[in-house]
Structure formats: C-alpha cells, structure tokens
Amino acid sequence: MMDKVLLAGFGGQGVMFIGKIFAVSGMIADLNVCWIPSYGPEMRGGTANCSVILSDEEIHSPVIDQADGGIVLNQPSYEKFLGRIKPGGVLVINSSIVNLNKIRDDIKIIKVPATEIANELGNSSIANMVCLGALLPHLNLTDYEKVKKAIYEVVGEKKPELLELNLNAIKKGMEH
Amino acid sequence: MSNRVLMKGNEIIGEAAIRAGCKLFFGYPITPSTEIIEYLAKNLPKAGGTVLQAEDEIGAINMCYGAACTGTRVMTASSSPGISLKQEGISYCAAAELPVVLVNVNRTGPGLGGLGPTQSDYFQSTKGGGHGDYRLIVLAPSKAQELYDFTLEAFDLAEKYRNPVLILTDGFLGQMMEPVELKEKPTSPEVDKSWVVDGARGREKRIIASYSLTNEIGEANNLRWEAKFNGIKEKEQRWEEFYADDAEYLLVSYGTTGRISKSVVLNARKKGIKLGLIRPITLWPFPEKAFIPYKNKIKGIVTVELNTGQMIEDVKLAMDCCVPIYLYRRQGGMLPTETEILEFLEKQFKLSTEEV
Amino acid sequence: MQKVFGRPKGLTEVAFSFCPGCTHGIIMRLVGEVLEELEIIEDTIGVSPVGCAGFCQDFFSCDFVGAAHGRAQAVGTGIKRALPDRIVFTYQGDGDIAAIGTQHAIHTAARGEKITSIMVNNAIYGMTGGQMAPTTLEGMKTSTSPYGRDLVINGYPLDLPKTIATLDGVKYVASVSVDSPKNILQAKKAIKKAFQVQQAGLGFALVSVLSTCPTNWGLSPVDSLKWLRENMMPVYEMGELKVAEEVKNL
Ligand SMILES: Cc1ncc(C[n+]2csc(CCOP(=O)(O)OP(=O)(O)O)c2C)c(N)n1
Ligand code: SF4
C-alpha cells in the first residue's frame, strides 16, 4: 500500500513543514518514506512544493506523476497541481485564498477556509496544519495519532505552546 | 529498528564521511551539493576534524592532494562546474596515487546549466575527466541507504587501491529525505601506509610527485597504473539485477533513473511483458560481467539516462551490439515518468499489450 | 511637466528580482545612471558574474556577456583586447571577485587592464544561501561558519580594494557604501570616476560597494543597513583608496 502526496504553496506557508510531518509520521509507523522538496532558485519568492510517499513496501520510483492526495495553499499551486491528482484522488484547497476557476469532477475536492480558521485559532501561520488535518482521513497509512507523535518529535519540547495550537488546527481541518 | 533516521541525501554523505573517519574536508559552496559542506562544517569539528572552505575548487582539490599525501582521510564535494575546475587536481591525485574521496552532485550542463537531476557527467566521471590516462572508481548510489554505505566504503576502496574514488549523485538524491540506517562502520582493513609523507624521522626520505623524468620511467608508470586498473576491473564490478533472470527485454539504468526503472519493470510485469533491469553500481569499472549471461538470451535493451546517451556506449560494448539497444532520455533537469519509459519500450519493440 | 525621477536609460524595463531590501538594486541603478550620463550605453559591454549579481545581465541596457564564477575580469580582458575602443565593465559579488576570482582580480589590476570593475561586498554568499565569503567578518555566523568565523580556521576577512590599491597598474580604487542618501551620492561619484578613467584610457579602476543581504543575514532591511554601518564600515577601509595623478586631473 502507498500514499503519494503532493504539497504546494508560497514559500513561507509551511509546505515543507507539513511534508516533513507526514514523512516523520511514516517513520514512526516504521514505513518506508520519501520526501522530496523543490529546490534551487525555484524557492526564491515563488512557489514551494514537496512530495511525500509513504509505503509499506520498498519505494522504487520516488517521482510522483499522479498523486493520491494533495494540498494546495495558493492560486499558482492550485493551477499547477490540479492536473496532477489521479482520478479518484483527493485535493485539499485553501479556499480562503484560492479562486476555484477550474474544476475537475473525477477527483474529490475539499475546500477548507484554512486561513480564516487559522486566524480564528489565533495564528495565521497554521493554515497549513488545518489543510493537513483535512487530508488526513483520506490517507491509508497515517492517522491523527501518528501525526501527533510526529509533531511532538519535530516541534519537540522546544516550543510546547506550539504543540497544542498545531493539534487544534489539525482537528479543525479533520472536520471538513 | 535501531539507528533508522530520516535525513537528506547530502547530509547522509556528510554523516557517513564522519563515521568513516574522514578528518579533513575541503570544499567550496555550490548548489545542489552545499548541504554536504554545511553539514560537515557543523558536525566534523565535533568529531575532531576540520572543514576548510577554500577560495575555490582548485584550492580545495589541491588541499585534498596535500592532506592525502599524509595518509589522512580526506574528502571534497562539489557539483558539475566545480568538478570541472577540480579536474587538473584530480589528475594529479590519480598520478600520485592518492586516496581522495570525491563527491559530484551532478547538475545540468554544459556551462552553468541548472540545478535539476541529470547524468550529464557520466563521460567526465568514467573516462578520465582530467588529462592523462587514468580512471576513477565511480560509485552510483540510487537511494539514501546507498549514499551512506557507498560513502563509508569509498574511503576503504580509495585506500585499498590508492586511487581517487568518486561518488556520483544528483540534486534529486541530494535533496531527498529517506530513512537511512546509520550502521556501524565495519573496521577498515589494514592498509599499507609506507608511502605517506610525514617527515623522514628515522627513515629514508620519500617523494610524492607525478613528473616522469624520462620516457622509460613514464612508460613504467603507465604500465603500473594500467595493471592496477585492470585489477580493479577484475575485482570491483558491481551491479544489481532486478527481474533479469527470465527477462526478454532489459532496462539498463543507474542512480535516480535506476530506481525509477524498477517501477517500470514492475508495471511491465503486470502487463505480462518480461522486462528486467540491470542497474550498474560501479560506473567505472563498468559492470561488463553483468551482461555476459544475457548476450544470447534477450531480445533488446533500453538504457534510461539523463543525457544524450553516454552509458549506452558502454552497454553496446558490453553486449557486443548483439541485440538492438535504444536510449530513452530526458535532459536539462527533467525526469522521465514510469509511464513514458514503458511506452517507449513498447513502441521500440512493438509490444502492443494485446499481443501478450 | 518634466519628469524628474524615472528609470535611467542604462537600465531595461525588466523588474529587479532581488529580495526585499537588498541594496544590489541601488547599486545597479547607480551604474545605470552613469552609463546614461556618460552616454556610453551603446559603447559598453558588461560582464556578469555568477551570484545574485549575475542577474544584472537582464537589467542593464548595454550588451552583456555571462562569465563563469570568478572569471568575469578574464572575460572582460578578452573583450577589451579585442575591442579596445569600447567600454568594458564587470559587476561582481565579493565571493566572485575576492575568492574564486582572486587570481584574476590581482592580475587584471597588475596588468593595468583598461576595464572597470564594480565589486558588491555583502560579506556573504547570497545566491547559494548564505555561506561564508572571503569578506565575512570575524565571529559572523554563516551556514559554513556555523560557530562564527574563526580567525584560526578561516583567517581574516579580505579587504580586496586595499590590496588592489597597492598595485602599480591601478589608477583608481574606491570603497563606498549605499546605506544613506549621502553615501549613495558619493558612491555614484566614485562609480562615475571609475568609468571616466577607462574612457580616458588610463588603466584599471575598481569600486567596491558595501551592500546588504537581509535574506541571509536574517535581518530586516532597515536593521541590515544599521548592521552594515556598525559592523562592516569599521572593518573595510572606506573612501578613495587610490587616485593616480592622471585621475586627479580628470
Ligand atoms: C565553479 C563554481 N563554483 C561554485 C558555484 C556556486 N556559486 C554560485 S554564486 C556563488 C557565490 C556568490 O556569492 P557572491 O559572489 O558574494 O555574490 P552574491 O550572490 O552575494 O551577490 C557560488 C559559490 C558556481 N556557480 N561555480
Ligand atoms: S540573497 Fe542577498 S544578495 Fe541575493 S538578492 Fe537576496 S538579499 Fe540580495
């Protein structure tokens, strides 16, 4: 079994971070994982994206052509990655700032007003976590408990105040 | 699992070097290899070593030359344009028979090129690169664990043969995070250090240099190196076979495309196409031996490369061109998808799925 | 109505792609103004380096040649020797000119090559994401000097203009800054003079400009200017470091 996930947004929206959380949650479950960032000048100012694969078998090709699931946090990412979700897959969209000018009816689109929800929770920078929560129920190999452990591991004791905030954001997202 | 951690490919190389006992690292930043020097700048001093950022790559490789002369484990890492600058120094290291470990995180070229994954430096890596008739042992990892294992081993190989060893990767492998088991390094075999220059205390003086005073000396040197290279060819060819046993068609591919090709093999098998893979692990010596059993057995080969077709020449030589051998390639930083590789194979060998 | 402030003709319409608050933009503007004021846009060939400065090939309206990292002055030499009546200038970062390009920096100057070099000193490698440069200050943390530049390991910061000023082929060297309106005016004067030296066929001229890199310094644009003033200006000798007799009469 495999989960192939694409994550994209503006640099600074925490795309790499949620990718890392997914990957670490897979490590905790003793799965094979592969996390690949976009790198180089692409990172300057423009959009950032990364891909994560979780698998209970060996991961051969690390390249995701058609993903099972995705999260897009901004307009350019939406336009770029809408076509990269396989039929029957799931795409979570930060509907607070993405205008759904194009649509596909062969995939499940989950609209989450993530920026608004994040603001209500008191921190605009956790829109990424809200979206992570929204995608979570649609993945096969990871779940809330594993992600929770991953967040503890990554955010760690350094910033305990952030832990609760992140977990709340994920729970809010899971309601969608 | 004990020591299983999630790390970036470039950092894995750095960690493995420390664990291999590398004490000196000389380098100059260049994307997409920079995490190696950054990781080592942070962590090598804690292990009692030193990282020196040189004024340029020419400086860095010549610092390696000097350090290696003293028998100290030393490494440098760079990316294509920087590796080009090092070529003169690499040639000198080869001539002086110095165990230097080199890493090339290949980026696209020619010229300044771009940062994407590529295999454009295959010729440069395997056919010499600098001037003179020498070879580097070239290792081509394709996943995190191999980045670790091959780096550890590179130091031993370099010392065993007193020859520079090159680890050839790309930005994709370098930036990717995968689990790696940080295995304890097996103890290195005892190697002869009777050649090092460390001060002639109580012994005859030694000279490490590469100028041949007479043509006779020159030829004797070349013959000695040739014998060494032949020995390496005999003993060190390495490759992985994947569903090759009963294959009618073979993919040949290494590094990043080597692992993509494994997925292609699995997809083809699902469709009933008997496809296998030979994945060279040593690019020099090229694993010619891998091809011998398949010479009269298979119907054709596709090499999958990220260049205009470089390794395919070695594959043709290894196969004596006895079957059709085609190239499927992407360039400039683009990677092929599993689907497009399989479609190419089906088209070249007219394998419509209905037939099988 | 007369337009009093606009894009100098020396610059193209392409928008600068530098990070917010990066003073590369100001320096390029000054060079663009000088090219316009001296009416040399059509006679000039610029050589771009590798680094953030390398983007300049898109921003100036004169012809441009892109060089390999560190080689701009060697490339510039080739152009000037082929076309001695044209104006040739290089625009290089501190890493480009003072680390990998040092051999060319020294020998272009020693030969008295009749070209103009602008060096942008931001004490760091910008393009590659904040590694130590030859100009990185003592104790300054970068990604390859994570514990701060240690003089024992990395040696002292290199004040290249000061070194170059000691060489005989050199007619003009200045070290300037663009942190304040007053200094910007001075910087422009120096840049202009460096081009005039070449117009008069006198010899090599170098202007080093202290510049900010808010992104890799991890500071806001305003704090970066303050940091530059307080930390870089005391280390690097400022002002006109060499003005040959012939130049004084220009
Ligand atoms: C031979 C070679 N080595 C390394 C690099 C990578 N590289 C690109 S720009 C750069 C340094 C840029 O720093 P600087 O010259 O100070 O300019 P800035 O980006 O700060 O403006 C380096 C090391 C390269 N392109 N070529
Ligand atoms: S990285 Fe630094 S030097 Fe480069 S554009 Fe950004 S602020 Fe300027």
Side-chain angles (χ1 to χ4, degrees):
Chain A
M1 223 180 340
M2 261 195 202
D3 283 322
K4 298 184 180 181
V5 183
L6 289 172
L7 310 162
F10 284 125
Q13 279 185 312
V15 167
M16 303 294 172
F17 181 72
I18 47 175
K20 189 152 182 210
I21 295 295
F22 274 131
V24 173
S25 79
M27 286 292 285
I28 287 167
D30 229 349
L31 296 167
N32 284 311
V33 309
C34 180
W35 174 92
I36 300 167
S38 58
Y39 60 94
E42 261 186 81
M43 287 159 55
R44 288 266 148 78
T47 60
N49 67 77
C50 67
S51 68
V52 184
I53 303 177
L54 305 182
S55 172
D56 52 12
E57 301 148 41
E58 187 172 353
I59 299 169
H60 295 308
S61 175
V63 185
I64 300 183
D65 185 14
Q66 292 281 297
D68 303 307
I71 295 176
V72 287
L73 293 174
N74 68 1
Q75 194 69 32
S77 305
Y78 169 68
E79 283 162 22
K80 191 166 167 193
F81 289 105
L82 182 65
R84 295 276 303 279
I85 303 296
K86 74 172 191 206
V90 184
L91 184 63
V92 174
I93 295 168
N94 178 4
S95 59
S96 303
I97 55 171
V98 175
N99 161 21
L100 279 74
N101 45 7
K102 284 181 266 173
I103 209 84
R104 273 177 66 183
D105 42 26
D106 60 340
I107 62 173
K108 185 175 170 65
I109 290 187
I110 304 177
K111 292 176 246 175
V112 187
T115 310
E116 283 147 43
I117 296 175
N119 282 334
E120 279 162 29
L121 290 170
N123 190 331
S124 62
S125 67
I126 52 170
N128 59 342
M129 297 313 252
V130 178
C131 291
L132 181 152
L135 183 62
L136 207 44
H138 303 276
L139 299 180
N140 295 312
L141 293 170
T142 186
D143 55 28
Y144 178 75
E145 282 308 315
K146 290 174 193 134
V147 164
K148 184 174 163 185
K149 278 194 197 146
I151 293 179
Y152 272 90
E153 197 173 310
V154 175
V155 181
E157 293 103 48
K158 276 178 276 174
K159 296 185 178 160
E161 69 284 2
L162 284 183
L163 290 175
E164 278 310 303
L165 190 65
N166 278 310
L167 295 177
N168 284 339
I170 292 174
K171 281 189 211 143
K172 278 275 180 219
M174 289 175 78
E175 290 164 13
H176 283 266
Chain B
M1 274 193 211
S2 52
N3 248 338
R4 193 170 170 264
V5 293
L6 189 64
M7 284 177 87
K8 249 190 188 191
N10 280 340
E11 297 180 345
I12 292 170
I13 293 178
E15 181 59 32
I18 295 173
R19 288 172 186 245
C22 174
K23 285 289 171 249
L24 288 166
F25 179 92
F26 302 106
Y28 187 79
I30 180 166
T31 318
S33 78
T34 305
E35 292 86 357
I36 301 176
I37 184 171
E38 289 176 339
Y39 185 87
L40 286 165
K42 212 164 169 188
N43 296 297
L44 189 56
K46 294 182 199 159
T50 299
V51 170
L52 182 58
Q53 184 179 316
E55 62 275 20
D56 62 13
E57 291 85 351
I58 301 174
I61 187 68
N62 285 290
M63 291 170 191
C64 289
Y65 180 100
C69 284
T70 69
T72 308
R73 288 199 158 186
V74 59
M75 178 164 100
T76 185
S78 188
S79 185
S80 307
I83 296 290
S84 287
L85 274 182
K86 289 184 200 286
Q87 289 303 334
E88 179 196 47
I90 294 173
S91 168
Y92 278 69
C93 288
E97 300 193 64
L98 297 174
V100 175
V101 175
L102 314 157
V103 182
N104 180 3
V105 186
N106 199 171
R107 63 187 246 182
T108 68
L112 193 53
L115 309 175
T118 175
Q119 297 168 340
S120 52
D121 294 351
Y122 179 89
F123 280 158
Q124 187 204 49
S125 310
T126 59
K127 313 287 176 195
H131 63 281
D133 203 349
Y134 70 93
R135 298 291 187 278
L136 303 176
I137 297 174
V138 184
L139 302 172
S142 74
K143 57 182 177 190
Q145 194 61 49
E146 288 183 342
L147 288 168
Y148 183 80
D149 295 346
F150 293 0
T151 305
L152 277 190
E153 211 190 335
F155 285 90
D156 287 344
L157 280 171
E159 281 179 356
K160 178 173 174 192
Y161 291 104
R162 284 185 56 195
N163 203 68
V165 174
L166 172 70
I167 298 164
L168 183 63
T169 87
D170 61 38
F172 196 74
L173 291 169
Q175 305 297 321
M176 179 160 75
M177 274 210 279
E178 270 190 319
V180 56
E181 205 193 324
L182 301 177
K183 296 181 233 164
E184 281 306 315
K185 183 188 173 303
T187 37
S188 300
E190 273 298 312
V191 287
D192 168 35
K193 290 264 173 96
S194 63
W195 51 272
V196 308
V197 163
D198 55 357
R201 289 194 194 144
R203 61 159 171 76
E204 288 285 294
K205 68 168 275 190
R206 295 174 187 151
I207 298 176
I208 297 178
S210 69
Y211 182 64
S212 342
L213 267 179
T214 66
N215 296 337
E216 285 75 13
I217 297 176
E219 187 174 48
N221 284 339
N222 283 118
L223 286 171
R224 190 162 42 80
W225 294 325
E226 187 183 4
K228 170 166 93 174
F229 295 138
N230 284 337
I232 299 174
K233 263 193 201 168
E234 192 43 48
K235 291 202 201 79
E236 302 295 345
Q237 294 184 24
R238 283 183 222 176
W239 68 92
E240 183 196 9
E241 293 187 19
F242 188 72
Y243 289 87
D245 277 355
D246 64 340
E248 292 180 351
Y249 301 93
L250 282 177
L251 297 178
V252 183
S253 193
Y254 64 93
T256 298
T257 50
R259 62 188 282 174
I260 297 175
S261 296
K262 283 189 177 174
S263 295
V264 179
V265 168
L266 295 180
N267 296 345
R269 291 272 167 173
K270 275 185 213 144
K271 289 174 105 176
I273 300 171
K274 286 196 167 170
L275 183 64
L277 166 74
I278 291 180
R279 179 173 70 90
I281 288 173
T282 50
L283 301 185
W284 195 91
F286 188 75
E288 294 161 358
K289 290 180 190 171
F291 294 87
I292 297 170
Y294 299 103
K295 271 191 189 165
N296 299 308
K297 229 177 111 189
I298 57 162
K299 296 183 182 159
I301 288 182
V302 170
T303 73
V304 184
E305 301 185 60
L306 302 176
N307 53 46
T308 48
Q310 299 190 15
M311 179 187 63
I312 192 171
E313 296 186 3
D314 288 329
V315 176
K316 284 183 175 172
L317 282 173
M319 287 296 288
D320 293 324
C321 294
C322 67
V323 295
I325 300 172
Y326 300 107
L327 163 74
Y328 187 72
R329 88 271 178 274
R330 294 295 297 264
Q331 296 184 77
M334 298 298 289
L335 284 174
T337 63
E338 300 154 36
T339 324
E340 67 191 61
I341 298 171
L342 189 53
E343 278 170 8
F344 177 83
L345 180 100
E346 289 173 330
K347 197 170 130 241
Q348 291 305 312
F349 294 109
K350 305 196 172 46
L351 309 171
S352 78
T353 359
E354 292 91 315
E355 255 173 56
V356 265
Chain C
M1 212 168 69
Q2 197 196 348
K3 193 171 167 189
V4 289
F5 190 82
R7 232 170 221 290
K9 290 207 181 68
L11 296 180
T12 60
E13 293 299 316
V14 180
F16 286 156
S17 53
F18 304 110
C19 308
C22 174
T23 46
H24 256 304
I26 301 180
I27 303 165
M28 285 190 194
R29 187 188 162 90
L30 296 182
V31 176
E33 287 174 2
V34 167
L35 293 178
E36 178 179 359
E37 286 166 23
L38 296 177
E39 298 179 357
I40 51 173
I41 297 170
E42 290 172 357
D43 296 326
T44 298
I45 298 145
V47 186
S48 57
V50 179
C52 292
F55 297 118
C56 69
Q57 60 194 29
D58 296 328
F59 305 141
F60 289 115
S61 37
C62 57
D63 276 359
F64 248 86
V65 174
H69 190 26
R71 313 298 166 204
Q73 290 173 306
V75 173
T77 297
I79 298 171
K80 187 73 182 186
R81 295 292 174 126
L83 301 171
D85 64 338
R86 291 321 129 80
I87 301 293
V88 175
F89 81 99
T90 69
Y91 184 106
Q92 303 170 261
D94 48 324
D96 197 82
I97 194 172
I100 191 168
T102 322
Q103 52 178 322
H104 310 300
I106 302 276
H107 286 281
T108 306
R111 286 193 306 268
E113 213 60 62
K114 296 183 180 65
I115 68 170
T116 303
S117 287
I118 310 294
M119 159 178 165
V120 179
N121 179 358
N122 56 14
I124 207 155
Y125 285 6
M127 174 107 223
T128 39
Q131 294 78 29
M132 186 181 65
T135 46
T136 294
L137 304 179
E138 182 185 355
M140 183 174 162
K141 283 188 182 158
T142 70
S143 69
T144 49
S145 56
Y147 307 110
R149 184 182 186 128
D150 179 344
L151 296 186
V152 175
I153 296 172
N154 307 117
Y156 292 82
L158 176 61
D159 193 343
L160 184 78
K162 213 163 120 186
T163 310
I164 297 295
T166 63
L167 300 172
D168 289 338
V170 179
K171 297 300 168 193
Y172 183 73
V173 180
S175 186
V176 296
S177 169
V178 288
D179 63 300
S180 67
K182 178 171 151 266
N183 284 342
I184 290 177
L185 283 179
Q186 257 171 19
K188 183 170 168 189
K189 266 194 205 147
I191 292 171
K192 196 165 186 174
K193 202 173 280 176
F195 276 92
Q196 286 167 327
V197 168
Q198 185 178 170
Q199 277 185 307
L202 297 178
F204 180 69
L206 170 73
V207 178
S208 163
V209 191
L210 299 189
S211 185
T212 61
C213 179
T215 302
N216 291 303
W217 291 357
L219 296 174
S220 72
V222 176
D223 287 347
S224 294
L225 292 172
K226 186 162 172 265
W227 191 90
L228 180 153
R229 265 192 296 275
E230 289 172 4
N231 297 282
M232 290 178 75
M233 286 170 62
V235 171
Y236 292 107
E237 202 170 315
M238 303 300 294
E240 294 190 318
L241 308 184
K242 176 160 193 181
V243 186
E245 277 308 313
E246 316 90 284
V247 176
K248 287 181 187 151
N249 308 327
L250 278 180

